[in-house]
Structure formats: structure tokens, C-alpha cells
Amino acid sequence: MPESVSNITAQMPRAKLAGLLLFFLGPAVAIYTLFSIYPLVATMTLSTYTSDPSGARSFVGLANFATLLGDALWSKPFWNAFGNNLIFFAVHMCVQNPVGIALAGLLSLPGLRLKGFYRTVMFLPTMLSVVIVGFSWNLILSPLWGVAAGALKAVGLGSLFAPWLGLESSALVTLSLISVWQFVGIPMMLIYAALLNIPEELIDAARVDGLGHFRIFFHIKLPLVLPTISLVSVLTFVANFNAFDLIYSIKGALAGPNFATDILGTFFYRTFFGNQLQLGNPTMGSAVATVMFLIILVGLCLYLFFVQRRIRRYAF
Amino acid sequence: MRRTFKAALGTEVAALALLAGLASAQAGSLKIESWRNDDADIWNSKIIPAFNKHYPDIKIEFAPSAPKEYNAALNARLDGGTAGDLITCRPFDASLALYQKHQLDAVDGIKGMDNFSDVAKAAWQTDDGKTTFCVPMASVIAGFIYNKEAFAKLGVSEPKTLDEFHAVLEKFKKDGTYVPLVMGTADQWEAATMGFQNVGPDYWKGETGRANLIAGKEKLTDPQYVAAFKEIANWAPYLGSGFQAQTYADSQNLFSLGKGAIYAAGSWDISTFRGQAKFAMGAFPPPQPAGTADCYISDHTDIAMGVNAASKNKEDAKKFLEWLTTPEFATIYANALPGFFPLAKTPVKVDDDVAATMVGWRQTCKSTIRNSYQILSRGTPNLENELWNVSAQVVNGKLTPDAAGKQLQDGLDKWYKPAK
């Protein structure tokens, strides 16, 4: 039996071990520090400054955060964006993940033909550029030349059609569903991979006990892939609270109508880079970015504390 | 072995020297930052070659960004020291901020600057009007472009008053062949720029109202501003179905496909339509409200050019700016891009008939610029952004004209305290 790694390193002289660690970990740590940690710290630092018209910056402590959360001028759009973000996330959780699970369940059925084809087709939108997705859906849903109106009319539901992307009541949900359409391939693939990992013996045993596909899925497979589902959920959470591109490509930085589709990403963009006559405000923008980071951090901590700790993987 | 190495070294040094020589030969090259990516062809095929006839040694590269991203991208490049030598200037505060940050040079010393009136220069001057930092290039005029064939078919003529305008719209609506008025609210800015700022100046008397607003003598809750909102609120029944989700590109396509009768236009649309529309077009200025005598048009100073203060080739950049002040440039620009009207004093002949019509309004109507552009969009909330939002909402029927005026004035009151 070969010697275990920990034994080898334990016997190594200290200096040699340090050199070895530096050699293998150094480059990764350096790159990670340069491109991830440094920008994060720099953003946080910048959020404690303010700048005057000449571009000179002065330290103001937490004043930017007080303005962001305390001044109605800033807090109103901020909470509006946060609320919209929650809706955006909720739609993903209620539609994207269940659909992803269902698709993965169907794909993993034994005896399904053209499996590879379905898998590819459903994963395809994930690889498309957001700009293309935005452009295509804008066209599909366009009241002028979109196919959506015609398609609904063809099945006798023409009266249901509305300019969904232009109405305050429906724009955000429509955008969320477009995003769901694009990214449903990712939970599908992850859950599919987890389903394939379930030992055949378990399924066979269930089948011998007389369970059908449906009950096998709900009583055997689903509980076993719960850890993956919770992982998918947390990935969805992080991606949704960082989202920006789809809204920007379809609705622009003003996220109309009347900020109905404004999420933290577009709010940050408008603040940091400005829009039309509004000049960018990098220090306030950094404050928004920092708050976004904290929201995601808190969400992740809650997840780690309440969910991750309780997850038990099946073992043999 | 050693010898070969030396020889190789020698070749390398020679090659380096040659490269250095080439580099210095390219010292006369300039890069232009711009948001007009639609115009790249015209710059490369007409404007730059015309300039090179005078200065064959100065190489110019036109390097535009997408209009939406221009401000952000330009600011990032200026801060990072990678911006081009010549900077296309947005009017008012965006460029003023660049000057204040010492990223743009003053251009007062450039020969030919006296070929521009004070009004033409105002958009690129310090508040006291003493320093100019960009050379004015063009303005754009708002109004209405119409489908002449559609008008002939229904036997209607250009409306002069708002009552006539509404009658024409009604007639087209009854007929049903054409979308009476082409404008969408999905992108929001059309409702403000081609709606509110287009028909509004007749109500607030152009520059008079604009100056009073800045001086704090008028408020956006005053009847003349609310009336402008009331007018655009009237438009909703005549817009295309689902106009709430109709984007600017949708509107352009709808009209150029001949499906619309009247298009709420900016003169910059002319060149797009010339390339696509197969029917004869005409243009009329904003119809006048009942009881008004003078007419006003939104003749907005929109585009100028300045020198990056960090440019390594300012001498050549200034030569280019100097050329921008000449009638030669004005003529090329006005005719290559019909709808962008030169700001120089020397008269320029515009060949395109629709463009000539629009620029002709300057003779009969008084010019004004968009009232949210100077000073009033300097704070938070930003008046221009607010205007886009409320104008779109007014057209969508989600906000009453009175509430729209109130929201704008409340926002302005939060940070703007004019000396009264």
C-alpha cells in the first residue's frame, strides 16, 4: 500500500514543505488575490469616499451607506430594486428549478430514446449570448411582428396577448421567465448527473417492491438528489442577485416602465456609470456594490447555517 | 557560435531601430472617440479623406462605442489613460464634467471658433460662458415626418394647429390602413424627446420658458408644462397596438415599411429612413396649440468635438478641430448625414429635401434646446432620466399630466435651489 500524502508531508523538512506549498499554491493565490480579493477590498474602500466635481476624493466613512439606506431619494429605488430582485429569484426558484428537476427526471428514465438530442437542445439556450436571447425574445413577444400574438390567436387565445414586456404589471415576470428559459439547462444537467449517480441496486429494489416510475422518482430519487438541488438553489441565488445583462439588453439602464424591472444590477450600473445626462458616481456605486455583496453573503451564510449543515449524503 | 550570436544581436538591434523609426513616422495618428457608431462608414469614406486632402500625413482612426455605453466607456478610458485623442462631446454637463476634471482642453484659441454663435457654443461652455471646451459640430431638430403617399391617399394636408393634427390622426384611425402616429414607449426616451420636448416649446415659449425654469421663475407644475403632458397623453389611442412594448428600432421599422402615417421624429432619423423607406416623405413642425402666434422648435445642440488633455498628439488634434470649423466640413457633414445640421454661421446648402425642410424651420420658428439639458440634470434625481420615465408613463396612461409635473418638480426641488 502506498504511503499516504499526509505521512510524506509530515516527514518533510519545514523549509522544503513551505517551498512546495508556495510552488503549487502560490500562483493560484496570487491570481485570486489580484483579480478577486483586491478588487473587492478596493470597492469597499472606495465606498467610504466621496468625490467632488474636480474628481478629488475625500474620506466620509459610512456616510454613503447612510444615504443609500436612509435618504428616501436613494432608499426608495434601492428597496424597489431589492424587491424586484426577490421576485426575480422567486420566479427562478418556482419555475426554473422544478422544471429542471422534471426534465432531469424524464431524461434519466431508462429506455428513453434520443436522450442526447433532448439534452443538447435543452442545454443550448444556456450557451447563447444574453444579447441574442434578449433580442430574440424582444422580437418573439413584439406586439408588432412577434410570433407570440399569432401563435396565441391560432389556438383561440388571441385575447390573452398583451405587450408583456412593456407593462408594469408583467414586464418583470416576463423577463424572469426569459431568464428561466435560458438557464434551465444548468439545474437540469446538475440534477441529471446526480440522478445518474444513484446506485442501480436501489432503483432495482424499489422496482422489485412494485413501485412505478413516478413513485420511484418521488420516494427514492428525489430525496437522494436533494443535496444537489440545494446546491442549485444557492447557485441560482448568487446568479440572480448578480443579474444585470438580460434586463439591460432588453429594457436598458432605466429598467422601465417606471423601474418595474429595475434590479440591483441595473441600479448599480446607473449609479456607478451614469446614464445619458446622469453622470456616474463611482463612490456611491461602490456602496451599492458593497451592499449587493453583503446581501449575497448573508444569503449564503443563512444557507450554510440552516441547510448545508443538515445535509447528509447517502453512504454505502 | 559566439559570432552568430553577435550577428543575430546586430540584426535584432537593426530591426528594433527600424520599428522605432516606423513608430515615430506614425506620430501623426489620431483616434476619435464617438457614440455615433452608425456613422462609421461616412467618417471613413467621406470626412476623413476630405481632411486628409489638406493634411495627408495625419492618420485618423474613427473608433466609436455603442451610444448607450459611450459615457461609461469614455469615462473609464479617460480615467485609465487609454482614451483617444479627439473626444466627441455630449452637450452640457457630461462634457463640462470632463473639462472640470482637466480631461478636456479649452478650444478658445482655435482659429475659426468665431464662426459659431454664442448659442451654438453654449452647450460646451463653462456656466459663466467664458471658456469653450469643444468645437460645435451639429444640432438636431425635432418634429414630425410623414408618409406623403398616405397623406395623398386620405386627402389630408400637413396640420398647422394641434386641432388639425388631432383631426388628421382621427382620420387615419378611422381609415385603419396606417398606424396614425408611430412612437413607442418601451425605450422611454422617445416619449420625452420626440413627445414632450417636441411639442412642448410652443407652450413654454422656447428659450424664455427654459431660462425661467433655470432661474426658478417657472415650475414644472405650471400650466404650460402640464399642458405639454396633456397633449402627449392624447396620443395613446393613435399609437400602434402594444406601443408600450414598441422599441425605438420597432418604430423606425414600422414607419420605414410604410405602415405608419406620421412619425414623431428627430431629424437624425432622416438618414435611416433614406436607406430603407421606399415612399416619399415630408416633414412638418410641431403643430401649434390654439391661441399661440409664435412657433418654437426643439433645435438641440447635440454633438461637438474636443481634445483629450492627455493626448500625445495635441498639435495634430488641434489641426483637425480647426478644420471642423470650416464651411468645407459643415457642407460634407450636413450632406453625408442629412438631419445633423451644422452650427457654423456660414450658410450650408442641404441637398436632402426633408432635411432642408426641417432646417428651414429655423427661418420661421424660434429655436430652443431641451429644457432638461442645461444645469437642471446636474443633481439626483436626474431631471432628464425622470423626464423619460414620467413622459412614458403619461403616454401609457399610468400617470396624470398633473402628477407628472409634480413628480418632476418635487425631484428638482430636492437639490436645485435657484437664486430667486
Side-chain angles (χ1 to χ4, degrees):
Chain A
M1 193 175 148
E3 209 173 351
S4 79
V5 178
S6 57
N7 279 345
I8 301 174
T9 52
Q11 288 159 9
M12 223 179 247
R14 267 262 154 116
K16 199 175 170 193
L17 181 66
L20 206 63
L21 281 179
L22 198 68
F23 179 76
F24 283 111
L25 295 180
V29 170
I31 290 172
Y32 188 70
T33 309
L34 188 65
F35 292 104
S36 268
I37 299 176
Y38 167 69
L40 186 65
V41 174
T43 306
M44 288 181 169
T45 317
L46 190 59
S47 68
T48 59
Y49 282 78
T50 189
S51 55
D52 65 5
S54 72
R57 290 190 173 134
S58 51
F59 183 76
V60 289
L62 296 178
N64 286 340
F65 295 95
T67 313
L68 182 63
L69 300 173
D71 182 346
L73 206 59
W74 287 92
S75 65
K76 223 179 101 195
F78 172 77
W79 290 116
N80 172 51
F82 181 72
N84 286 341
N85 239 145
L86 285 179
I87 297 174
F88 194 67
F89 176 55
V91 172
H92 280 80
M93 286 303 284
C94 298
V95 183
Q96 176 183 285
N97 295 348
V99 171
I101 295 166
L103 290 177
L106 289 174
L107 278 180
S108 68
L109 283 182
L112 180 75
R113 286 196 286 173
L114 294 175
K115 231 178 242 188
F117 174 73
Y118 293 136
R119 219 168 41 207
T120 314
V121 166
M122 284 181 267
F123 197 71
L124 218 56
T126 309
M127 295 183 291
L128 290 178
S129 139
V130 180
V131 180
I132 293 175
V133 170
F135 182 77
S136 325
W137 276 98
N138 229 336
L139 269 184
I140 293 171
L141 297 176
S142 164
L144 295 172
W145 12 72
V147 293
L152 278 177
K153 214 179 248 170
V155 292
L157 295 171
S159 61
L160 284 183
F161 183 78
W164 290 303
L165 279 173
L167 301 179
E168 256 178 77
S169 51
S170 58
L172 181 62
V173 174
T174 311
L175 281 168
S176 313
L177 291 175
I178 294 174
S179 166
V180 164
W181 171 83
Q182 181 176 14
F183 291 116
V184 75
I186 291 175
M188 180 192 82
M189 283 311 233
L190 288 172
I191 294 164
Y192 178 61
L195 286 172
L196 292 185
N197 266 336
I198 296 174
E200 271 305 310
E201 297 88 354
L202 278 179
I203 312 290
D204 287 345
R207 207 167 288 139
V208 169
D209 284 346
L211 263 56
H213 284 314
F214 204 68
R215 293 183 66 190
I216 291 179
F217 181 76
F218 270 97
H219 296 294
I220 313 284
K221 288 180 173 175
L222 197 58
L224 289 178
V225 297
L226 272 181
T228 310
I229 293 172
S230 78
L231 179 81
V232 165
S233 308
V234 81
L235 284 179
T236 312
F237 172 75
V238 175
N240 283 174
F241 275 81
N242 271 327
F244 158 74
D245 37 14
L246 184 72
I247 312 268
Y248 182 73
S249 76
I250 296 186
K251 302 303 303 182
L254 279 184
N258 195 21
F259 302 108
T261 54
D262 199 21
I263 57 172
L264 289 169
T266 43
F267 178 59
F268 159 75
Y269 181 88
R270 264 200 326 277
T271 313
F272 194 96
F273 293 106
N275 183 54
Q276 192 67 7
L277 298 190
Q278 178 192 339
L279 298 176
N281 184 342
T283 53
M284 204 62 201
S286 301
V288 177
T290 306
V291 173
M292 280 171 75
F293 169 71
L294 291 178
I295 290 172
I296 294 174
L297 194 68
V298 167
L300 279 181
C301 288
L302 290 176
Y303 164 81
L304 289 175
F305 191 77
F306 288 109
V307 183
Q308 188 70 26
R309 284 196 322 168
R310 288 155 202 237
I311 287 177
R312 294 278 178 276
R313 289 196 172 267
Y314 55 86
F316 281 92
Chain B
M1 189 74 186
R2 225 171 150 185
R3 251 192 165 158
T4 352
F5 175 71
K6 259 194 180 166
L9 197 71
T11 333
E12 206 134 286
V13 169
L16 271 177
L18 192 70
L19 275 178
L22 279 178
S24 67
Q26 283 193 344
S29 69
L30 296 169
K31 196 170 130 192
I32 300 178
E33 298 278 354
S34 172
W35 69 87
R36 293 290 311 165
N37 51 2
D38 288 354
D39 307 344
D41 261 1
I42 285 150
W43 277 88
N44 292 325
S45 65
K46 291 186 179 162
I47 301 174
I48 295 172
F51 172 73
N52 280 147
K53 274 187 201 145
H54 303 278
Y55 299 97
D57 299 337
I58 303 176
K59 269 214 161 86
I60 299 186
E61 184 199 348
F62 185 69
S65 331
K68 258 190 199 172
E69 282 129 37
Y70 180 68
N71 293 15
L74 177 69
N75 279 322
R77 281 203 281 267
L78 281 169
D79 290 341
T82 57
D85 309 273
L86 292 159
I87 312 287
T88 308
C89 304
R90 298 260 197 204
F92 297 109
D93 288 358
S95 299
L96 179 62
L98 298 182
Y99 175 72
Q100 283 169 338
K101 278 163 85 180
H102 307 291
Q103 288 175 327
L104 282 178
D105 278 352
V107 296
D108 294 302
I110 284 177
K111 215 171 72 192
M113 279 307 280
D114 48 2
N115 195 16
F116 299 101
S117 70
D118 288 343
V119 177
K121 289 190 278 194
W124 300 281
Q125 282 180 329
T126 47
D127 287 353
D128 59 13
K130 281 187 185 143
T131 315
T132 311
F133 38 81
C134 298
V135 178
M137 280 165 72
S139 74
V140 289
I141 294 177
F144 296 88
I145 295 178
Y146 66 94
N147 182 333
K148 274 192 173 166
E149 288 167 20
F151 269 48
K153 209 169 143 195
L154 262 76
V156 292
S157 53
E158 291 180 10
K160 299 255 179 330
T161 66
L162 278 178
D163 291 338
E164 288 172 25
F165 181 59
H166 296 153
V168 169
L169 290 177
E170 194 57 42
K171 216 163 176 188
F172 275 110
K173 191 177 162 71
K174 281 223 176 88
D175 176 66
T177 320
Y178 301 92
V179 173
L181 182 60
V182 181
M183 191 182 87
T185 56
D187 292 335
Q188 305 189 68
W189 64 269
E190 299 113 288
T193 310
M194 272 99 98
F196 183 76
Q197 302 280 16
N198 186 357
V199 294
D202 275 328
Y203 290 100
W204 61 73
K205 303 199 182 319
E207 285 294 286
T208 317
R210 191 176 78 84
N212 283 341
L213 208 54
I214 293 172
K217 288 183 206 152
E218 287 181 15
K219 289 190 171 294
L220 288 156
T221 44
D222 289 348
Q224 60 272 36
Y225 299 98
V226 175
F229 279 124
K230 278 189 183 143
E231 173 52 27
I232 62 170
N234 287 336
W235 294 1
Y238 305 109
L239 302 176
S241 75
F243 64 87
Q244 300 94 331
Q246 181 179 323
T247 63
Y248 175 55
D250 286 339
S251 302
Q252 288 182 314
N253 286 329
L254 192 66
F255 185 73
S256 57
L257 287 172
K259 293 185 176 173
I262 303 174
Y263 176 91
S267 55
W268 62 86
D269 285 310
I270 295 173
S271 34
T272 317
F273 291 155
R274 282 291 173 224
Q276 294 167 0
K278 298 270 184 289
F279 50 86
M281 288 178 288
F284 59 87
Q288 282 181 258
T292 51
D294 298 327
C295 67
Y296 297 87
I297 51 167
S298 164
D299 182 358
H300 193 78
T301 45
D302 190 54
I303 184 166
M305 196 169 281
V307 184
N308 180 356
S311 164
K312 292 201 173 65
N313 192 8
K314 281 191 195 175
E315 210 171 298
D316 287 342
K318 287 201 169 138
K319 278 182 198 155
F320 186 77
L321 290 186
E322 208 175 288
W323 182 70
L324 289 187
T325 67
T326 61
E328 184 194 0
F329 168 76
T331 311
I332 295 173
Y333 197 72
N335 287 304
L337 286 166
F340 285 87
F341 304 114
L343 289 161
K345 283 182 197 160
T346 35
V348 166
K349 197 178 169 307
V350 180
D351 296 329
D352 185 282
D353 61 331
V354 177
T357 308
M358 290 182 97
V359 77
W361 299 340
R362 280 180 182 166
Q363 313 303 320
T364 47
C365 299
K366 289 181 187 150
S367 294
T368 180
I369 59 167
R370 299 173 200 154
N371 59 10
S372 50
Y373 265 60
Q374 191 180 24
I375 300 174
L376 298 182
S377 286
R378 213 166 261 185
T380 314
N382 184 282
L383 183 63
E384 175 72 0
N385 282 357
E386 289 275 288
L387 199 56
W388 289 14
N389 180 17
V390 301
S391 303
Q393 283 197 72
V394 166
V395 177
N396 287 354
K398 289 276 170 191
L399 200 65
T400 65
D402 285 300
K406 188 173 179 316
Q407 185 177 333
L408 293 178
Q409 190 59 44
D410 285 353
L412 205 52
D413 285 341
K414 286 207 170 106
W415 62 271
Y416 187 60
K417 308 271 181 278
K420 283 177 194 169

